[in-house]
Amino acid sequence: MITEYLGWAATAVFVGSYFCTQPRILRGVQMTGALMWVVYGILISASPVIVANVLVFGAAAWTVRRAHGSPS
């Protein structure tokens, strides 16, 4: 049952990200949602969910790092 709640919570975070107007907050919400989906994917043994959201997390983290002027 906790797995189902996590999936719904991840869905809510994902949908909520569309209402973010500040890029910094958007990236944080995207990263949070992606981590939630990764955990969900692990719990249900779904490799595509895991890989897709590791990529989303990485892209959001890279964007945050680039925005802060950190060297690549």
Coordinates of all heavy atoms in Angstrom, one line a residue:
M1 N 0.8 -1.2 0.0 CA 0.0 0.0 0.0 C 0.9 1.3 0.0 O 0.5 2.2 -0.7 CB -0.9 0.0 1.2 CG -1.8 1.2 1.2 SD -3.2 1.0 2.3 CE -4.5 0.7 1.0
I2 N 2.0 1.3 0.7 CA 2.9 2.4 0.7 C 3.4 2.7 -0.7 O 3.6 3.9 -1.0 CB 4.0 2.2 1.8 CG1 4.8 3.6 2.0 CG2 5.0 1.2 1.3 CD1 4.0 4.5 2.9
T3 N 3.6 1.7 -1.4 CA 4.1 1.9 -2.8 C 3.1 2.7 -3.6 O 3.4 3.6 -4.4 CB 4.3 0.5 -3.5 OG1 5.3 -0.2 -2.7 CG2 4.9 0.7 -4.9
E4 N 1.8 2.3 -3.5 CA 0.8 3.0 -4.2 C 0.7 4.5 -3.8 O 0.6 5.4 -4.6 CB -0.6 2.4 -4.0 CG -1.7 3.0 -4.9 CD -3.0 2.2 -4.8 OE1 -3.0 1.1 -4.3 OE2 -4.0 2.8 -5.2
Y5 N 0.8 4.8 -2.5 CA 0.8 6.1 -2.0 C 2.0 6.9 -2.6 O 1.9 8.1 -2.9 CB 0.8 6.2 -0.5 CG -0.5 5.8 0.2 CD1 -0.5 4.9 1.2 CD2 -1.7 6.3 -0.3 CE1 -1.7 4.6 1.8 CE2 -2.9 5.9 0.3 CZ -2.9 5.0 1.3 OH -4.1 4.7 1.9
L6 N 3.2 6.3 -2.6 CA 4.4 6.9 -3.2 C 4.1 7.3 -4.6 O 4.5 8.4 -5.1 CB 5.6 6.0 -3.0 CG 6.9 6.6 -3.6 CD1 7.2 7.9 -3.0 CD2 8.0 5.5 -3.4
G7 N 3.5 6.4 -5.4 CA 3.3 6.6 -6.8 C 2.3 7.8 -7.0 O 2.5 8.7 -7.8
W8 N 1.3 7.9 -6.1 CA 0.4 9.0 -6.2 C 1.0 10.3 -5.8 O 0.8 11.4 -6.4 CB -0.9 8.8 -5.4 CG -1.8 7.8 -6.1 CD1 -2.2 6.6 -5.6 CD2 -2.5 8.0 -7.3 NE1 -3.1 6.0 -6.5 CE2 -3.3 6.8 -7.5 CE3 -2.6 9.0 -8.2 CZ2 -4.1 6.7 -8.7 CZ3 -3.4 8.9 -9.3 CH2 -4.1 7.7 -9.6
A9 N 1.9 10.2 -4.8 CA 2.6 11.4 -4.3 C 3.6 11.9 -5.4 O 3.7 13.1 -5.7 CB 3.3 11.2 -3.0
A10 N 4.2 11.0 -6.0 CA 5.2 11.4 -7.1 C 4.4 12.0 -8.3 O 4.8 13.0 -8.9 CB 5.9 10.1 -7.6
T11 N 3.2 11.5 -8.6 CA 2.4 12.1 -9.6 C 2.0 13.5 -9.2 O 2.0 14.4 -10.1 CB 1.1 11.2 -9.8 OG1 1.5 9.9 -10.2 CG2 0.1 11.8 -10.8
A12 N 1.6 13.7 -8.0 CA 1.2 15.1 -7.5 C 2.4 16.0 -7.7 O 2.2 17.2 -8.1 CB 0.7 15.0 -6.1
V13 N 3.6 15.6 -7.3 CA 4.8 16.4 -7.4 C 5.0 16.8 -8.9 O 5.3 17.9 -9.2 CB 6.0 15.8 -6.7 CG1 7.3 16.5 -7.0 CG2 5.8 15.7 -5.2
F14 N 4.9 15.8 -9.7 CA 5.2 16.0 -11.2 C 4.2 17.0 -11.7 O 4.6 17.9 -12.4 CB 5.0 14.6 -11.9 CG 5.1 14.7 -13.4 CD1 6.3 15.0 -14.0 CD2 3.9 14.6 -14.1 CE1 6.3 15.1 -15.4 CE2 4.0 14.7 -15.5 CZ 5.2 14.9 -16.1
V15 N 2.9 16.8 -11.4 CA 1.9 17.8 -11.9 C 2.1 19.1 -11.3 O 2.0 20.2 -12.0 CB 0.5 17.2 -11.6 CG1 -0.6 18.3 -11.9 CG2 0.2 16.0 -12.4
G16 N 2.5 19.2 -10.0 CA 2.7 20.5 -9.4 C 3.9 21.2 -10.0 O 3.9 22.5 -10.0
S17 N 4.8 20.5 -10.6 CA 6.0 21.2 -11.2 C 5.5 22.1 -12.4 O 6.2 23.1 -12.7 CB 7.0 20.2 -11.7 OG 6.6 19.5 -12.9
Y18 N 4.4 21.8 -13.0 CA 3.9 22.7 -14.1 C 3.4 24.0 -13.6 O 3.2 24.9 -14.4 CB 2.8 21.9 -14.8 CG 3.3 20.9 -15.8 CD1 3.5 19.6 -15.4 CD2 3.8 21.2 -17.0 CE1 4.0 18.6 -16.2 CE2 4.3 20.3 -17.9 CZ 4.4 19.0 -17.5 OH 4.9 18.1 -18.3
F19 N 3.3 24.2 -12.3 CA 2.8 25.5 -11.7 C 4.0 26.3 -11.2 O 3.7 27.4 -10.7 CB 1.8 25.2 -10.7 CG 0.5 24.6 -11.2 CD1 0.3 23.2 -11.0 CD2 -0.4 25.3 -11.9 CE1 -0.8 22.6 -11.5 CE2 -1.6 24.7 -12.4 CZ -1.7 23.3 -12.2
C20 N 5.2 25.8 -11.3 CA 6.3 26.5 -10.8 C 6.7 27.6 -11.8 O 6.8 27.3 -13.0 CB 7.5 25.6 -10.6 SG 7.3 24.4 -9.3
T21 N 6.9 28.8 -11.4 CA 7.2 29.9 -12.3 C 8.7 30.3 -12.2 O 9.2 31.0 -13.1 CB 6.4 31.2 -12.0 OG1 6.5 31.5 -10.6 CG2 4.9 30.9 -12.2
Q22 N 9.4 29.9 -11.1 CA 10.8 30.3 -10.9 C 11.6 29.0 -11.3 O 11.4 27.9 -10.8 CB 11.1 30.7 -9.5 CG 10.3 32.0 -9.1 CD 10.6 32.4 -7.7 OE1 11.3 31.6 -7.0 NE2 10.1 33.5 -7.3
P23 N 12.6 29.2 -12.2 CA 13.4 28.0 -12.6 C 14.0 27.3 -11.5 O 14.1 26.1 -11.5 CB 14.4 28.7 -13.6 CG 13.8 29.9 -14.1 CD 12.9 30.4 -12.9
R24 N 14.5 28.0 -10.5 CA 15.2 27.3 -9.4 C 14.3 26.4 -8.6 O 14.6 25.3 -8.3 CB 15.8 28.4 -8.5 CG 16.5 27.8 -7.3 CD 17.2 28.9 -6.5 NE 17.6 28.5 -5.2 CZ 17.3 29.0 -4.1 NH1 16.6 30.2 -4.1 NH2 17.7 28.5 -2.9
I25 N 13.1 26.9 -8.4 CA 12.1 26.1 -7.7 C 11.6 24.9 -8.6 O 11.5 23.8 -8.1 CB 10.9 26.9 -7.2 CG1 11.3 27.9 -6.2 CG2 9.7 26.1 -6.7 CD1 10.3 29.0 -5.8
L26 N 11.4 25.2 -9.9 CA 11.0 24.1 -10.8 C 12.0 23.0 -10.8 O 11.7 21.8 -10.7 CB 10.9 24.7 -12.2 CG 10.8 23.7 -13.4 CD1 9.5 22.9 -13.2 CD2 10.8 24.4 -14.7
R27 N 13.3 23.3 -10.8 CA 14.3 22.2 -10.8 C 14.3 21.4 -9.6 O 14.5 20.2 -9.6 CB 15.7 22.8 -11.1 CG 15.9 23.6 -12.4 CD 15.7 22.7 -13.6 NE 15.8 23.5 -14.8 CZ 14.8 23.8 -15.6 NH1 13.6 23.3 -15.4 NH2 15.0 24.5 -16.7
G28 N 14.1 22.1 -8.4 CA 14.0 21.4 -7.2 C 12.9 20.5 -7.1 O 13.0 19.3 -6.6
V29 N 11.7 20.9 -7.6 CA 10.5 20.1 -7.6 C 10.7 18.9 -8.6 O 10.4 17.8 -8.3 CB 9.3 20.9 -8.0 CG1 8.1 20.0 -8.2 CG2 9.0 22.0 -6.9
Q30 N 11.3 19.2 -9.7 CA 11.6 18.1 -10.7 C 12.5 17.1 -10.1 O 12.3 15.9 -10.2 CB 12.3 18.7 -12.0 CG 11.4 19.4 -12.9 CD 12.1 20.0 -14.0 OE1 13.3 20.4 -13.9 NE2 11.5 20.1 -15.2
M31 N 13.6 17.5 -9.4 CA 14.5 16.6 -8.7 C 13.8 15.8 -7.7 O 14.0 14.6 -7.5 CB 15.7 17.3 -8.2 CG 16.6 17.9 -9.3 SD 17.9 19.0 -8.8 CE 19.0 17.9 -7.9
T32 N 13.0 16.4 -6.9 CA 12.3 15.7 -5.8 C 11.3 14.7 -6.4 O 11.3 13.5 -6.0 CB 11.4 16.7 -5.0 OG1 12.3 17.6 -4.4 CG2 10.6 16.0 -3.9
G33 N 10.6 15.1 -7.4 CA 9.7 14.1 -8.1 C 10.4 13.0 -8.7 O 10.0 11.8 -8.6
A34 N 11.5 13.3 -9.4 CA 12.3 12.2 -10.0 C 12.8 11.2 -9.0 O 12.8 10.0 -9.2 CB 13.5 12.8 -10.8
L35 N 13.3 11.7 -7.8 CA 13.8 10.8 -6.8 C 12.6 9.9 -6.3 O 12.8 8.7 -6.0 CB 14.4 11.5 -5.6 CG 15.8 12.1 -5.9 CD1 16.3 12.9 -4.7 CD2 16.8 11.0 -6.2
M36 N 11.5 10.5 -6.1 CA 10.3 9.7 -5.7 C 10.0 8.6 -6.7 O 9.7 7.5 -6.3 CB 9.1 10.7 -5.5 CG 9.3 11.6 -4.3 SD 8.0 12.9 -4.3 CE 6.6 11.9 -3.7
W37 N 10.0 9.0 -8.0 CA 9.8 8.0 -9.0 C 10.8 6.9 -9.1 O 10.5 5.7 -9.3 CB 9.7 8.6 -10.4 CG 8.3 9.3 -10.6 CD1 8.1 10.6 -10.8 CD2 7.1 8.6 -10.7 NE1 6.7 10.8 -11.0 CE2 6.1 9.6 -11.0 CE3 6.7 7.3 -10.6 CZ2 4.7 9.3 -11.1 CZ3 5.3 7.0 -10.7 CH2 4.4 8.0 -11.0
V38 N 12.1 7.3 -8.8 CA 13.1 6.2 -8.7 C 12.8 5.2 -7.6 O 12.9 4.0 -7.8 CB 14.5 6.9 -8.5 CG1 15.6 5.8 -8.2 CG2 15.0 7.7 -9.8
V39 N 12.5 5.7 -6.4 CA 12.2 4.8 -5.3 C 10.9 4.0 -5.7 O 10.9 2.8 -5.5 CB 11.9 5.6 -4.0 CG1 11.4 4.7 -2.9 CG2 13.2 6.3 -3.6
Y40 N 9.9 4.6 -6.3 CA 8.8 3.9 -6.7 C 9.2 2.8 -7.7 O 8.7 1.6 -7.6 CB 7.8 4.8 -7.3 CG 6.5 4.2 -7.9 CD1 5.5 3.8 -7.0 CD2 6.4 4.0 -9.3 CE1 4.3 3.2 -7.5 CE2 5.2 3.4 -9.8 CZ 4.2 3.0 -8.9 OH 3.1 2.4 -9.4
G41 N 10.0 3.1 -8.7 CA 10.4 2.2 -9.7 C 11.2 1.0 -9.0 O 11.0 -0.2 -9.5
I42 N 12.0 1.3 -8.0 CA 12.7 0.2 -7.3 C 11.7 -0.7 -6.6 O 11.8 -1.9 -6.7 CB 13.7 0.8 -6.3 CG1 14.9 1.5 -7.1 CG2 14.3 -0.2 -5.4 CD1 15.8 2.4 -6.2
L43 N 10.8 -0.1 -6.0 CA 9.8 -0.9 -5.2 C 8.9 -1.8 -6.1 O 8.5 -2.9 -5.7 CB 8.8 0.0 -4.4 CG 9.5 0.8 -3.2 CD1 8.5 1.8 -2.6 CD2 10.0 -0.2 -2.2
I44 N 8.7 -1.4 -7.3 CA 7.9 -2.2 -8.2 C 8.8 -2.9 -9.3 O 8.2 -3.6 -10.2 CB 6.8 -1.4 -8.9 CG1 7.3 -0.4 -9.9 CG2 5.8 -0.8 -7.9 CD1 6.3 0.2 -10.8
S45 N 10.1 -2.8 -9.1 CA 11.0 -3.5 -10.0 C 10.8 -3.1 -11.5 O 10.7 -4.0 -12.4 CB 10.9 -5.0 -9.8 OG 11.2 -5.4 -8.5
A46 N 10.7 -1.8 -11.7 CA 10.4 -1.3 -13.1 C 11.6 -0.5 -13.6 O 11.8 0.7 -13.3 CB 9.2 -0.5 -13.1
S47 N 12.5 -1.2 -14.3 CA 13.7 -0.6 -14.8 C 13.5 0.7 -15.6 O 14.2 1.7 -15.5 CB 14.6 -1.6 -15.6 OG 15.0 -2.6 -14.8
P48 N 12.5 0.7 -16.5 CA 12.3 1.9 -17.3 C 11.9 3.1 -16.5 O 12.4 4.2 -16.8 CB 11.1 1.5 -18.2 CG 11.2 0.0 -18.3 CD 11.6 -0.4 -17.0
V49 N 11.2 2.9 -15.4 CA 10.8 4.0 -14.5 C 12.1 4.5 -13.8 O 12.3 5.7 -13.7 CB 9.7 3.6 -13.5 CG1 9.5 4.6 -12.4 CG2 8.4 3.2 -14.2
I50 N 12.9 3.6 -13.4 CA 14.1 4.0 -12.7 C 15.0 4.7 -13.6 O 15.5 5.8 -13.2 CB 14.8 2.7 -12.1 CG1 14.0 2.0 -11.1 CG2 16.2 3.1 -11.5 CD1 14.4 0.6 -10.8
V51 N 15.3 4.2 -14.7 CA 16.3 4.8 -15.7 C 15.8 6.2 -16.1 O 16.5 7.2 -16.1 CB 16.6 3.9 -16.9 CG1 17.4 4.6 -17.9 CG2 17.3 2.6 -16.4
A52 N 14.5 6.3 -16.5 CA 14.0 7.5 -17.0 C 14.1 8.6 -16.0 O 14.5 9.8 -16.3 CB 12.5 7.4 -17.4
N53 N 13.9 8.3 -14.7 CA 13.9 9.3 -13.7 C 15.3 9.6 -13.1 O 15.5 10.7 -12.7 CB 12.9 8.9 -12.6 CG 11.5 9.2 -13.1 OD1 11.1 10.4 -13.2 ND2 10.8 8.2 -13.5
V54 N 16.2 8.7 -13.3 CA 17.6 9.0 -13.0 C 18.1 10.0 -14.0 O 18.8 11.0 -13.7 CB 18.5 7.7 -13.0 CG1 20.0 8.1 -13.1 CG2 18.2 6.9 -11.8
L55 N 17.7 9.8 -15.3 CA 18.0 10.8 -16.3 C 17.4 12.2 -16.1 O 18.0 13.2 -16.2 CB 17.6 10.3 -17.7 CG 18.4 9.0 -18.2 CD1 17.8 8.5 -19.4 CD2 19.8 9.4 -18.3
V56 N 16.1 12.2 -15.7 CA 15.4 13.4 -15.3 C 16.2 14.1 -14.2 O 16.4 15.4 -14.2 CB 13.9 13.2 -15.0 CG1 13.3 14.5 -14.4 CG2 13.2 12.8 -16.2
F57 N 16.5 13.4 -13.1 CA 17.2 14.0 -12.0 C 18.5 14.5 -12.4 O 18.9 15.6 -12.1 CB 17.4 12.9 -10.9 CG 18.1 13.5 -9.7 CD1 17.4 14.1 -8.7 CD2 19.5 13.4 -9.6 CE1 18.0 14.6 -7.6 CE2 20.1 13.9 -8.5 CZ 19.4 14.5 -7.5
G58 N 19.3 13.8 -13.2 CA 20.6 14.2 -13.7 C 20.5 15.5 -14.6 O 21.3 16.4 -14.4
A59 N 19.5 15.6 -15.4 CA 19.3 16.7 -16.3 C 19.0 18.0 -15.4 O 19.5 19.1 -15.6 CB 18.2 16.5 -17.3
A60 N 18.1 17.8 -14.5 CA 17.7 18.9 -13.6 C 18.9 19.3 -12.7 O 19.2 20.5 -12.6 CB 16.5 18.5 -12.7
A61 N 19.7 18.4 -12.2 CA 20.8 18.7 -11.4 C 21.9 19.4 -12.3 O 22.5 20.4 -11.8 CB 21.4 17.5 -10.8
W62 N 22.1 19.0 -13.5 CA 23.0 19.6 -14.4 C 22.6 21.1 -14.7 O 23.4 22.0 -14.7 CB 23.2 18.8 -15.7 CG 24.1 19.4 -16.7 CD1 25.5 19.4 -16.6 CD2 23.7 20.2 -17.8 NE1 26.0 20.1 -17.7 CE2 24.9 20.6 -18.4 CE3 22.5 20.6 -18.3 CZ2 24.9 21.4 -19.6 CZ3 22.5 21.4 -19.5 CH2 23.7 21.8 -20.1
T63 N 21.3 21.3 -14.9 CA 20.8 22.6 -15.1 C 21.0 23.5 -13.9 O 21.4 24.7 -14.1 CB 19.3 22.6 -15.5 OG1 19.2 21.7 -16.6 CG2 18.8 23.9 -15.9
V64 N 20.8 23.0 -12.7 CA 21.0 23.8 -11.5 C 22.5 24.2 -11.4 O 22.8 25.3 -11.1 CB 20.5 23.0 -10.2 CG1 21.0 23.7 -9.0 CG2 19.0 22.9 -10.2
R65 N 23.3 23.2 -11.6 CA 24.8 23.4 -11.5 C 25.2 24.5 -12.5 O 26.0 25.4 -12.2 CB 25.5 22.1 -11.7 CG 27.0 22.2 -11.6 CD 27.7 20.9 -11.8 NE 29.1 21.1 -11.8 CZ 29.9 20.3 -11.2 NH1 29.5 19.3 -10.4 NH2 31.2 20.5 -11.3
R66 N 24.7 24.3 -13.7 CA 25.1 25.3 -14.8 C 24.6 26.7 -14.4 O 25.3 27.7 -14.7 CB 24.5 24.9 -16.1 CG 25.0 25.7 -17.3 CD 24.3 25.2 -18.6 NE 22.9 25.4 -18.4 CZ 22.0 25.2 -19.3 NH1 22.3 24.7 -20.5 NH2 20.7 25.4 -19.1
A67 N 23.4 26.8 -13.9 CA 22.8 28.1 -13.5 C 23.6 28.8 -12.4 O 23.6 30.0 -12.3 CB 21.4 28.0 -13.1
H68 N 24.3 28.0 -11.6 CA 25.0 28.5 -10.5 C 26.5 28.9 -10.9 O 27.3 29.3 -10.0 CB 25.0 27.6 -9.3 CG 23.8 27.6 -8.5 ND1 22.5 27.3 -9.1 CD2 23.5 27.9 -7.2 CE1 21.6 27.4 -8.1 NE2 22.1 27.8 -7.0
G69 N 26.8 28.7 -12.2 CA 28.1 29.0 -12.7 C 29.2 28.1 -12.3 O 30.4 28.4 -12.4
S70 N 28.9 26.9 -11.8 CA 29.9 25.9 -11.4 C 30.5 25.4 -12.7 O 29.9 25.2 -13.7 CB 29.3 24.8 -10.6 OG 28.7 25.3 -9.4
P71 N 31.8 25.1 -12.6 CA 32.5 24.5 -13.8 C 31.9 23.1 -14.1 O 31.6 22.4 -13.2 CB 33.9 24.5 -13.4 CG 34.0 24.6 -11.9 CD 32.7 25.3 -11.5
S72 N 31.9 22.8 -15.4 CA 31.4 21.5 -15.8 C 32.4 20.4 -15.6 O 33.5 20.6 -15.8 CB 30.9 21.6 -17.2 OG 29.9 22.5 -17.3

